[in-house]
């Protein structure tokens, strides 16, 4: 079954370009479009969508607030934020709002297609190291910045799971974590899955955000 994609951007020309790229893929279908966040929310009520490509700067309702509202629904589509700048406060806010990642608007078509497929399969498409750079820059905006309180939810984790969470937040891949802890990659993947389940998180990006918010990892440093 084709991945059902929705394009949300106030620039018609940009939507047309994305639509042409996606239409050429046998496993993708553009099922909806919207020019602003308000329209996007209305369309989503009546249309089944798997992945939303979301612009951040739009009239009426910006992409961050639109993402927050979409992700607060039960079984929401995955959201990919589209931004002009790599280290962008909108990208940061979008991740906090529940997006599964962000891409630059001028990303090569092949990378965009890979990102859509990755998000659809449940992966985060922002490298944790990129998320970490974002958080290092915008950590002062976090509600708990500087206080570094521990989160009661973290008490659900075993010592090993907490150890894995710190390494995920530091930007290490499963393979790198396996090498660091002398574990199999499959075991690391299992630990990451348990961390997501216990903490009610969707993906690795949210693991990184929570690790910062709780003080498990500090901006510019390690846990």
């Amino acid at each position: 079954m084709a991945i059902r994609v929705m394009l949300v951007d106030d620039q018609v020309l940009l939507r047309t370009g994305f639509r042409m790229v996606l239409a050429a893929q046998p496993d993708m279908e553009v099922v909806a479009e919207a020019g602003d966040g308000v329209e996007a929310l209305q369309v989503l009520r009546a249309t089944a969508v798997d992945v939303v490509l979301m612009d951040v700067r739009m009239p009426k309702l910006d992409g961050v607030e639109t993402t927050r509202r979409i992700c607060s629904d039960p079984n929401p589509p995955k959201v990919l934020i589209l931004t002009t700048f790599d280290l962008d406060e909108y990208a940061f806010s979008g991740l906090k709002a529940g997006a599964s990642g962000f891409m630059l608007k001028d990303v090569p078509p092949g990378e965009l297609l890979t990102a859509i497929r990755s998000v659809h399969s449940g992966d985060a498409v922002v490298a944790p190291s990129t998320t970490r750079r974002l958080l290092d820059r915008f950590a002062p905006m976090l509600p708990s910045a500087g206080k570094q309180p521990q989160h009661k939810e973290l008490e659900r984790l075993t010592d090993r799971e907490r150890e894995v969470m710190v390494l995920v937040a530091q930007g290490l891949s499963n393979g790198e974590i396996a090498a660091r802890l002398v574990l199999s990659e499959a075991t690391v993947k299992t630990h990451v899955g348990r961390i997501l389940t216990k903490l009610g998180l969707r993906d690795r990006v949210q693991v990184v955000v929570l690790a910062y918010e709780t003080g498990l990892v500090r901006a510019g440093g390690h846990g």
Side-chain angles (χ1 to χ4, degrees), residues 146-214:
K147 299 175 187 175
Q148 298 167 6
Q150 289 303 310
H151 209 281
K152 61 182 179 183
E153 292 178 354
L154 295 183
E155 294 172 6
R156 300 176 192 166
L157 303 182
T158 64
D159 289 344
R160 176 63 89 188
E161 287 164 355
R162 185 183 285 245
E163 198 174 7
V164 170
M165 183 174 176
V166 168
L167 295 176
V168 168
Q170 289 173 4
L172 275 65
S173 67
N174 285 354
E176 291 166 336
I177 294 170
R180 177 81 63 90
L181 299 180
V182 197
L183 299 170
S184 72
E185 197 164 336
T187 300
V188 172
K189 191 171 182 179
T190 299
H191 283 312
V192 172
R194 286 177 181 158
I195 292 166
L196 295 177
T197 301
K198 287 183 178 181
L199 301 181
L201 304 175
R202 268 188 303 278
D203 52 42
R204 296 170 81 94
V205 171
Q206 292 195 327
V207 171
V208 181
V209 172
L210 184 64
Y212 271 73
E213 286 187 318
T214 58

Side-chain angles (χ1 to χ4, degrees), residues 22-205:
L22 300 183
Q25 303 304 307
D27 62 336
M28 294 186 194
E29 179 186 5
V30 176
V31 295
E33 295 185 32
D36 61 66
V38 172
E39 184 184 359
L41 293 172
Q42 291 171 343
V43 172
L44 277 171
R45 290 192 194 105
T47 310
V49 174
D50 298 313
V51 178
V52 179
L53 295 186
M54 179 75 69
D55 184 27
V56 284
R57 295 176 176 86
M58 295 183 296
K60 297 184 183 177
L61 193 66
D62 67 35
V64 173
E65 180 57 29
T66 305
T67 297
R68 186 175 292 109
R69 295 187 190 184
I70 289 173
C71 293
S72 67
D73 289 339
N75 301 314
K78 302 293 174 59
V79 179
L80 252 180
I81 295 282
L82 295 172
T83 180
T84 313
F85 304 104
D86 185 12
L87 285 178
D88 184 333
E89 65 180 286
Y90 289 98
F92 168 79
S93 300
L95 295 177
K96 288 273 293 166
S100 294
F102 71 91
M103 302 289 292
L104 295 177
K105 281 192 172 183
D106 59 357
V107 65
E111 287 186 29
L112 178 66
L113 296 171
T114 298
I116 292 170
R117 292 185 183 107
S118 296
V119 164
H120 181 248
S121 70
D123 291 332
V125 300
V126 177
S129 56
T130 305
T131 308
R132 185 179 167 82
R133 285 193 299 122
L134 271 172
L135 286 164
D136 277 346
R137 175 165 171 178
F138 296 109
M141 295 166 57
L142 290 170
S144 58
K147 299 175 187 175
Q148 298 167 6
Q150 289 303 310
H151 209 281
K152 61 182 179 183
E153 292 178 354
L154 295 183
E155 294 172 6
R156 300 176 192 166
L157 303 182
T158 64
D159 289 344
R160 176 63 89 188
E161 287 164 355
R162 185 183 285 245
E163 198 174 7
V164 170
M165 183 174 176
V166 168
L167 295 176
V168 168
Q170 289 173 4
L172 275 65
S173 67
N174 285 354
E176 291 166 336
I177 294 170
R180 177 81 63 90
L181 299 180
V182 197
L183 299 170
S184 72
E185 197 164 336
T187 300
V188 172
K189 191 171 182 179
T190 299
H191 283 312
V192 172
R194 286 177 181 158
I195 292 166
L196 295 177
T197 301
K198 287 183 178 181
L199 301 181
L201 304 175
R202 268 188 303 278
D203 52 42
R204 296 170 81 94
V205 171

